[in-house]
């Protein structure tokens, strides 16, 4: 399978390395800047690269667009036409973004949080795939299954909610860690002391529904503790978060 | 060391079992109800138990009150006087709650989320201790160090903020998992697909400051995605949480 990779950011890099491990290294990569294209090419045993979309091979089997959501439409409008299968890797972008440009298209979305500093093993990353034909859906399913043990089909409507759910479970959760860190720092306490609790809270989610795992003053709606804790927070946004989250926990566990 | 344990709930049970493993099984336990006292006694090789505070031995070295915050004051007022060191295990209760009743007192707070269904290894649970004398602080430090590799001193003022920080990192985080689960269920998606992301988000916190690990649309303040995602949420409380958390992430990462 001849794979063409468009993008050289975090996700593109990690994906390219994972594909390479499976003997599926991209045949050519594109990046807007020469430097990042060259850097990724070097990590891929000097695969071809270009900074000019017009130079991309048109005989690829699969074109993977692993770029920022916002630049995708512009890129697509500059792509040379071809008969390959075009996919993007985004949580929030509809499959139909490809319709004006390609006959065969789909989505190849690995749901994980990628950082430059951490290498991520794809084995355990869920892939959500879809395509505009059953044949291509199967092709993407087989490819994803070579990288990961967890492959799901999800249409664009489901994927929107998936991405939204991930914002709650990952982005917002990490922000709560940040706020926790701030509160601790302000009172001379080490964030590392919080790590076992963070780990256990995450591990529990694998063991029982999070609804059943809920603990703390808000589920009991212990107004005494809630009021005392609220009063400790000087920062108005922090206090708002404390109050809203407590109310939401209470509403969730005591529906009218 | 003769330990007397007041309480037979989750924390009391797990603490008693951990102490027993280190050859420090409580000499006597108290619970309000005969059934829970007997049940815990059976797990502790039939240690003595009572449902009458007046029957508790008065020659204990250490009295551990592992009970709900709200019942502690009533219990204390019914305790037989003695010369032992009295400690509670609560995040949010001031050390001085003991002052009217005991000459030696302190706090022995293991910061973790305890559930009936999961056994928790204490080795990795941070203990926060304090006492009203340096000798007793050392005694509690040594005892905690036999159970856990992580022992910190924290005064009651610090402990309040510690508990508050834990509400953010554990209770609120778990509630975000619950909301995530709800969104997924409503759209025919399995919660288990979210577990690798939840795990990675928690693992990252051990690797880099959560401030540096922040990803997602809110840190970029990608108004396009934020508005689209907000519009997906029918539930007003969920929408409020989405909007407030996004604003807070933005404020945190783009201070004026």
């Amino acid at each position: 399978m001849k794979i063409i990779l468009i993008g050289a950011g975090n996700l593109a890099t990690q994906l390219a390395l994972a594909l390479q491990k499976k003997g599926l290294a991209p045949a050519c990569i594109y990046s807007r800047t020469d430097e990042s294209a060259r850097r990724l090419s070097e990590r891929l045993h000097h695969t071809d690269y270009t900074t000019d979309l017009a130079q991309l091979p048109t005989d690829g089997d699969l074109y993977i667009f692993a770029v920022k959501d916002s630049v995708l439409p512009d890129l697509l409008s500059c792509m040379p036409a071809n008969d390959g299968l075009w996919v993007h890797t985004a949580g929030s972008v509809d499959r139909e973004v490809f319709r004006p440009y390609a006959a065969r298209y789909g989505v190849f979305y690995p749901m994980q949080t990628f950082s430059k500093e951490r290498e991520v093993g794809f084995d355990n990353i869920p892939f959500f795939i879809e395509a505009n034909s059953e044949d291509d859906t199967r092709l993407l399913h087989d490819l994803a299954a070579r990288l990961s043990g967890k492959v799901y089909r999800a249409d664009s409507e489901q994927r929107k909610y998936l991405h939204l759910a991930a914002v709650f479970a990952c982005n917002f959760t990490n922000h709560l860690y940040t706020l926790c860190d701030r509160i601790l720092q302000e009172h001379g306490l080490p964030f590392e002391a919080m790590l076992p609790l963070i780990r256990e809270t995450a591990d529990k989610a694998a063991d029982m529904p999070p609804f059943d795992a809920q603990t703390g003053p808000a589920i009991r709606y212990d107004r005494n503790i809630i009021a005392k804790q609220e009063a400790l927070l000087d920062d108005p946004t922090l206090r708002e978060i404390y109050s809203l989250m407590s109310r939401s926990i209470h509403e969730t566990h005591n529906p009218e």
Side-chain angles (χ1 to χ4, degrees), chain A:
Chain A
M1 192 190 305
K2 185 166 180 174
I3 297 177
I4 314 298
L5 179 65
I6 294 96
N10 279 342
L11 171 57
T13 299
Q14 309 247 10
L15 189 57
L17 293 171
L19 287 166
Q20 178 172 261
K21 270 191 203 152
K22 303 291 175 176
L24 290 162
C28 185
I29 56 178
Y30 161 88
S31 171
R32 203 166 39 85
T33 65
D34 192 73
E35 195 199 330
S36 45
R38 203 186 55 243
R39 203 168 39 221
L40 179 53
S41 160
E42 278 163 13
R43 297 184 69 178
L44 296 172
H45 312 317
H46 300 278
T47 193
D48 282 349
Y49 68 88
T50 177
T51 57
D52 177 6
L53 285 174
Q55 302 296 317
L56 280 179
T58 53
D59 63 345
D61 299 301
L62 180 65
Y63 292 78
I64 303 179
F65 295 84
V67 296
K68 284 205 190 108
D69 297 4
S70 53
V71 305
L72 185 60
D74 280 349
L75 275 181
L76 292 180
S77 65
C78 302
M79 274 289 290
N82 64 65
D83 300 326
L85 170 58
W86 295 18
V87 298
H88 70 66
T89 54
S92 277
V93 179
D94 200 281
R95 181 181 89 181
E96 295 303 320
V97 69
F98 292 115
R99 186 198 281 271
Y101 310 104
R104 297 167 54 209
Y105 52 85
V107 178
F108 192 71
Y109 171 47
M111 193 179 66
Q112 189 50 282
T113 167
F114 297 95
S115 325
K116 279 209 184 72
E117 301 80 4
R118 285 170 63 86
E119 194 148 329
V120 174
F122 272 82
D123 327 29
N124 205 20
I125 294 182
F127 271 84
F128 293 85
I129 56 115
E130 62 169 321
N132 69 333
S133 77
E134 184 55 30
D135 280 355
D136 284 335
T137 306
R138 266 198 294 270
L139 186 153
L140 292 176
H141 197 290
D142 292 348
L143 180 65
R146 289 185 63 177
L147 298 177
S148 162
K150 295 189 183 295
V151 186
Y152 304 91
R153 292 180 179 208
D155 62 30
S156 290
E157 184 67 11
Q158 285 179 305
R159 198 160 27 76
K160 273 195 293 195
Y161 287 96
L162 189 67
H163 190 233
L164 177 62
V167 166
F168 279 80
C170 168
N171 303 152
F172 291 172
T173 289
N174 187 74
H175 184 56
L176 290 177
Y177 300 162
T178 304
L179 300 179
C180 164
D181 189 12
R182 188 204 297 178
I183 295 169
L184 293 172
Q185 276 185 35
E186 286 172 359
H187 296 89
L189 293 158
F191 180 65
E192 57 132 49
M194 202 57 70
L195 293 174
L197 189 58
I198 285 175
R199 178 80 40 85
E200 170 68 9
T201 304
D203 286 353
K204 247 192 208 179
D207 215 43
M208 63 176 91
F211 181 92
D212 298 342
Q214 189 65 48
T215 55
I219 188 174
R220 304 187 297 268
Y221 220 56
D222 186 332
R223 283 170 196 279
N224 185 25
I225 291 195
I226 291 177
K228 275 190 197 160
Q229 292 200 322
E230 248 173 30
L232 296 176
L233 293 163
D234 294 331
D235 182 288
T237 306
L238 244 73
R239 204 163 49 232
E240 247 185 286
I241 291 174
Y242 183 93
S243 148
L244 177 57
M245 291 297 286
S246 296
R247 176 161 63 78
S248 176
I249 291 172
H250 182 65
E251 283 174 10
T252 302
H253 292 267
N254 304 274
E256 273 156 46

